[in-house]
Structure formats: structure tokens, C-alpha cells
């Protein structure tokens, strides 16, 4: 049973694992289409790159504000209530785009995206830690990477649908209406099914390990804090890269926005998906922290090329960058959660709060691009973030060999 992905102490959690994993596609789509909104809003409302980045700030800022309330609901009423609450926020925020298409206000769209962000916060606070407890702890990184593979598919479909619709004159409300109706239907399904909560038995095992390491509690707290900071920087880097890929592609690869969105969907996000599948499988044979280190080094090298080169060389570097990013979020999340001991649900709320990094980097990168006139220089920001991720992975290799 120890080596099984879907079982824990004789219990088969395959069905709940698949149900929860389906949610990863939904927020992948929501984030994917968000990257197309940046250049769309720049053109539609004649605003700067820094101003358009407030679309990301609204969504990712919601993570910071709502993560603790989401964690409270999950601790009090369980993972299923957290999922349903998230789906309701998500659906309502998406349907707000219908009157938004008539109001045609950038700030109203930002408000709608904030409501969607609240829903995504509840979903991620529920689903990410839930996948880690649906089986043996040693396979937590494998399970969360497999679930996040569906998230990668959502990242492919999001910019593809958004690019094909928004850059051809279709109303912005259309994709969000479809998503809103679908999400509310899924909320109805989850309200009718029962999900197991293996948290107590899982946390009992974690408690024994935590009590054994009680004397090293300050070191565990520091390790968890470093994990939080690293996750903050990863989300900042990923969001910054996604937000300005299309702008960069138009300026330095010399392709139009619709073609750039297709490259983003099939090339960047396609390799992102492939990386998550291969990374999740590789973690059955290679320690997760070593896979993380290799991917972080690839990301640093790729971003260095993006900053200094142009044309197809830069495009190839972007593709390599997305492949390197693929396993970072779920792996950092799961590794950091190991340091939480028996406090999984509270720790997951704190980790989800770090997604606010996505609200910071796009604005900062947009400001750099606006003031220097160089979109390429702005990619120094994610490069620095990947360097810290390298340090995190290397630290876990040298200091936490038991993991």
C-alpha cells in the first residue's frame, strides 16, 4: 500500500481524487484566459501595460484576502464545503461579465475578476491540500503533480479560446457566460456527492513525525517560511511571464497577437502540461526536490536568453521556460506542506496566501517596460525569482535528506 498512488491504509480514494482533480482544469482555464485579457484591455481601453496588469492584481490579490477565511471554512465544515463555496464565487464572477459587456468599464471588469479570484482561492485552498492527503504521504508530490496536469490543460485551452475570440471581435462576455454556467452546474454536482475526509488519519501520522522532530521546531518553522516565500516568488514569476508573453512576442518575435496567443496555448502551455505529466512520473524514481532544482536551473537559463535575445531563439527559450515551470507550484506547495506537521489545513491557507505574488510582478514588470521602453528588461524580475527557487531546492537537498 505504501507505493500506491491512490490508496492509504487500505482505502481506495481513486473516485474522490478524480473528482477533485477535475477542479484543477477550471482554474487553469480561468488563469489562462486572464493572460489574453491584458493585451485586449490595453487596446480596448487605451491603457498602459502597468494599468492592464491590475487584471492580475485583482485575481491574485483575492488570494491574499480570502485564503484565511477559506481555510476557516475548510477546518469547520470540510473540503466539500470549501469546494462548493469556491465554485459559487467563480460562477457569479464569470456571469458578472454579462452586464460588464454593456457597462464597458475596465474597473467593473477588475471587480468581476476579483470575485472570480475569491472563488479560485477557495478552490485552491481546498483542492491542493486535499490531493496530498488522498493517499500515502510519500506519494503526495506525485498526486498533486498529476492533478495539476489537468490544470495545465486548462492553461492551454484558456489562451487559445481567449485569443480566438477576443482578438477577432467576439464579445468578452461569451467565454465567461459558458464558464459561469458550467461552474455553477459543477457546484450542484458537488452539493450532491459525499467526499471522504482522510485528514484525521493522515494528520495523526504527521503528528507522530512532528512530535519526533519537536526539538527542531524552530528549524521546521524556518523551512516552512522559506517555502512560503519561494511559492510567493514562483507565482510572481509565472504570472509575470504569462502576462507579458504576448507583448514580448509582438515586440521581439514579430508576430501578431492572435498568433502569439496560439503559440502561448500550444507551445508554452502545451509544454507546461507535458512537463507536469513527465515530472509527476519522474518523482516516482527521483526525489521531488531534485526534479525541482533541475527545472529551476532550466528556468533561469531560459529567462536569461529571453532578456538578451530576439526572434525564434527567444521563442524556443520561452517554450523551455514553460517546461521548467511546470512542476514548480505543486512541488513547492507539497514540500512546504511537509514542514507543517499536523497543521495541514492551516498551513495550506497560508501557502495559498502567497499566490498574491501574482498581483505584484505584473505591475512591476509593466512599470519597467513602460519606463524603459523595453519589455525584455522586465523579464529580469522572474529570472531573480527562479534563482531563489534554485536556492530553496538546493537547501532541501542538503538539509533535509530524509525527504
Amino acid at each position: 500500500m505504501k507505493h500506491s498512488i491512490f490508496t492509504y491504509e487500505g482505502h481506495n480514494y481513486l473516485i474522490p481524487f478524480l473528482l477533485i482533480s477535475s477542479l484543477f482544469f477550471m482554474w487553469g482555464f480561468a488563469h489562462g484566459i486572464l493572460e489574453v485579457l491584458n493585451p485586449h484591455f490595453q487596446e480596448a481601453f487605451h491603457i498602459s501595460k502597468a494599468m492592464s496588469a491590475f487584471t492580475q492584481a485583482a485575481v491574485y490579490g483575492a488570494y491574499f484576502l480570502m485564503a484565511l477565511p477559506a481555510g476557516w471554512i475548510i477546518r469547520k465544515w470540510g473540503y466539500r464545503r470549501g469546494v462548493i463555496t469556491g465554485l459559487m464565487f467563480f460562477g457569479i464572477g464569470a456571469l458578472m461579465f454579462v452586464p460588464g459587456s454593456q457597462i464597458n468599464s475596465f474597473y467593473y471588469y477588475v471587480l468581476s475578476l476579483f470575485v472570480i479570484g475569491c472563488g479560485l482561492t477557495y478552490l485552491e485552498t481546498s483542492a491542493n491540500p486535499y490531493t496530498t492527503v488522498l493517499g500515502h504521504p510519500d506519494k503526495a508530490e506525485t498526486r498533486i503533480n498529476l492533478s495539476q496536469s489537468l490544470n495545465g490543460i486548462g492553461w492551454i485551452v484558456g489562451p487559445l479560446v481567449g485569443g480566438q475570440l477576443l482578438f477577432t471581435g467576439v464579445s468578452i462576455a461569451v467565454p465567461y457566460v459558458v464558464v459561469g454556467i458550467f461552474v455553477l452546474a459543477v457546484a450542484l454536482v458537488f452539493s450532491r456527492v459525499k467526499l471522504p475526509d482522510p485528514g484525521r488519519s493522515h494528520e495523526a501520522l504527521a503528528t507522530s513525525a512532528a512530535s519526533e522532530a519537536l526539538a527542531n521546531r524552530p528549524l521546521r518553522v524556518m523551512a516552512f517560511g522559506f517555502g512560503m516565500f519561494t511559492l510567493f516568488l514562483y507565482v510572481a514569476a509565472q504570472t509575470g511571464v504569462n502576462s507579458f508573453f504576448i507583448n514580448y512576442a509582438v515586440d521581439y518575435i514579430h508576430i501578431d497577437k492572435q498568433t502569439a496567443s496560439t503559440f502561448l496555448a500550444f507551445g508554452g502551455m502545451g509544454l507546461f502540461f507535458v512537463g507536469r505529466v513527465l515530472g509527476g512520473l519522474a518523482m516516482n524514481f527521483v526525489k521531488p526536490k531534485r526534479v525541482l532544482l533541475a527545472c529551476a536551473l532550466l528556468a533561469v537559463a531560459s529567462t536569461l536568453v529571453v532578456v538578451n535575445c530576439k526572434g525564434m531563439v527567444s521563442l524556443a527559450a520561452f517554450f523551455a521556460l514553460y517546461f521548467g515551470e511546470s512542476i514548480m507550484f505543486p512541488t513547492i506547495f507539497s514540500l512546504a506542506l511537509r514542514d507543517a506537521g499536523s497543521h495541514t489545513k492551516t498551513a495550506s491557507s497560508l501557502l495559498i496566501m502567497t499566490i498574491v505574488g501574482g498581483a505584484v510582478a505584473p505591475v512591476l514588470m509593466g512599470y519597467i517596460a513602460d519606463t524603459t521602453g523595453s519589455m525584455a528588461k522586465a523579464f529580469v524580475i522572474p529570472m531573480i525569482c527562479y534563482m531563489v527557487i534554485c536556492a530553496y531546492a538546493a537547501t532541501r537537498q542538503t538539509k533535509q535528506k530524509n525527504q
Side-chain angles (χ1 to χ4, degrees), residues 315-384:
L315 182 62
F318 265 112
F319 289 164
L321 173 57
Y322 278 108
F323 185 85
E325 279 187 339
S326 60
I327 57 91
M328 289 186 184
F329 180 88
T331 306
I332 297 169
F333 187 96
S334 185
L335 288 174
L337 209 57
R338 283 175 179 262
D339 296 308
S342 61
H343 304 290
T344 300
K345 293 177 180 177
T346 301
S348 67
S349 298
L350 296 174
L351 289 172
I352 292 298
M353 287 180 69
T354 67
I355 295 178
V356 73
V360 178
V363 176
L364 181 58
M365 290 176 67
Y367 176 78
I368 292 173
D370 289 334
T371 54
T372 65
S374 171
M375 190 73 252
K377 290 181 180 179
F379 280 83
V380 170
I381 300 299
M383 184 172 68
I384 294 172

Side-chain angles (χ1 to χ4, degrees), residues 11 36 41 72 86 93 100 103 115 157 178 190 237 250 280 305 312 317 325 358 391:
H11 300 294
V36 180
F41 284 150
W72 180 80
I103 298 172
V115 176
V157 177
V178 175
F190 270 90
V250 171
V305 174
M312 299 307 292
E325 279 187 339

Side-chain angles (χ1 to χ4, degrees), residues 216-236:
N216 295 322
R217 186 174 181 181
L219 293 178
R220 295 176 68 87
V221 171
M222 289 178 62
F224 179 74
F226 192 14
M228 284 186 64
F229 180 63
T230 303
L231 200 62
F232 172 90
L233 292 180
Y234 166 70
V235 178

Side-chain angles (χ1 to χ4, degrees), residues 85-270:
T85 304
L87 290 170
M88 294 297 294
F89 270 115
F90 190 173
I92 292 170
L95 293 179
M96 285 175 64
F97 273 72
V98 177
S101 63
Q102 300 298 318
I103 298 172
N104 199 34
S105 165
F106 173 71
Y107 298 104
Y108 179 85
Y109 284 129
V110 168
L111 174 62
S112 303
L113 291 169
F114 175 78
V115 176
I116 291 176
C118 291
L120 301 182
T121 306
Y122 278 86
L123 290 181
E124 294 211 44
T125 306
S126 305
N128 279 303
Y130 195 43
T131 59
T132 67
V133 300
L134 285 174
H136 197 281
D138 287 351
K139 298 297 181 182
E141 288 83 11
T142 299
R143 284 192 303 276
I144 195 171
N145 270 285
L146 289 175
S147 294
Q148 289 276 359
S149 297
L150 289 177
N151 181 260
I153 296 176
W155 279 97
I156 295 173
V157 177
L160 180 63
V161 171
Q164 295 300 316
L165 294 179
L166 300 184
F167 296 143
T168 56
V170 177
S171 172
I172 191 175
V174 172
Y176 280 97
V177 168
V178 175
V179 170
I181 294 173
F182 177 75
V183 165
L184 292 176
V186 173
L188 180 62
V189 172
F190 270 90
S191 70
R192 302 296 180 182
V193 300
K194 291 184 178 181
L195 295 176
D197 189 350
R200 290 184 179 179
S201 59
H202 181 274
E203 289 176 2
L205 181 64
T207 301
S208 63
S211 60
E212 183 179 340
L214 191 59
N216 295 322
R217 186 174 181 181
L219 293 178
R220 295 176 68 87
V221 171
M222 289 178 62
F224 179 74
F226 192 14
M228 284 186 64
F229 180 63
T230 303
L231 200 62
F232 172 90
L233 292 180
Y234 166 70
V235 178
Q238 182 197 39
T239 309
V241 170
N242 291 344
S243 300
F244 294 111
F245 171 84
I246 293 177
N247 287 110
Y248 182 99
V250 171
D251 293 343
Y252 294 92
I253 306 176
H254 308 300
I255 55 179
D256 60 77
K257 293 178 180 178
Q258 189 172 350
T259 302
S261 66
T262 302
F263 275 128
L264 176 60
F266 287 112
M269 297 306 177

